Amino acid sequence: MTSAAVSMDEVMLLAGIIFSIGLVGVMVRRNVLYILMSLEIVLNATGLAFVAAGAHWGQPDGQIMFLLILTLAAAEVSVGLGLILQIHRKYDHLDIDQLKLMRG
């Protein structure tokens, strides 16, 4: 059984594509829930790039940074979903343009 080696260029290209998809999702979407999901995609692409770089250089730094990114993503999800629930209860929608009217 042979193992297929993937070059660092291919992994970085994949991470760049995934990051671009997430970034487009953040900029295009109007629903807060979709924006949070797109941010998760961006964070996952960043984590993939860190792990690939760490594996390429033979250092555990990439995996340590990925654990930091996972912790940040968990905190972002918990705070974000709490805010989403409160906004949905109060306004019955999650449209960003409609939420701009909340200002005083």
Side-chain angles (χ1 to χ4, degrees), residues 5 7 13 16 26-27 42 61 67 74-75 79 82 85-86 88 98-99:
S7 70
L13 178 66
V26 168
M27 292 190 300
V42 167
D61 298 343
L67 288 175
V79 171
L85 285 174
Q86 290 298 322
H88 185 63
Q98 296 286 328
L99 294 178

Side-chain angles (χ1 to χ4, degrees), residues 4-45:
V6 180
S7 70
M8 185 174 168
D9 293 335
E10 293 170 344
V11 176
M12 289 298 177
L13 178 66
L14 177 65
I17 291 170
I18 294 172
F19 187 88
S20 299
I21 290 170
L23 190 62
V24 167
V26 168
M27 292 190 300
V28 171
R29 294 293 187 164
R30 292 286 154 216
N31 192 325
V32 178
L33 189 59
Y34 288 122
I35 291 173
L36 284 177
M37 289 180 1
S38 297
L39 282 175
E40 288 294 321
I41 291 172
V42 167
L43 287 173
N44 285 331

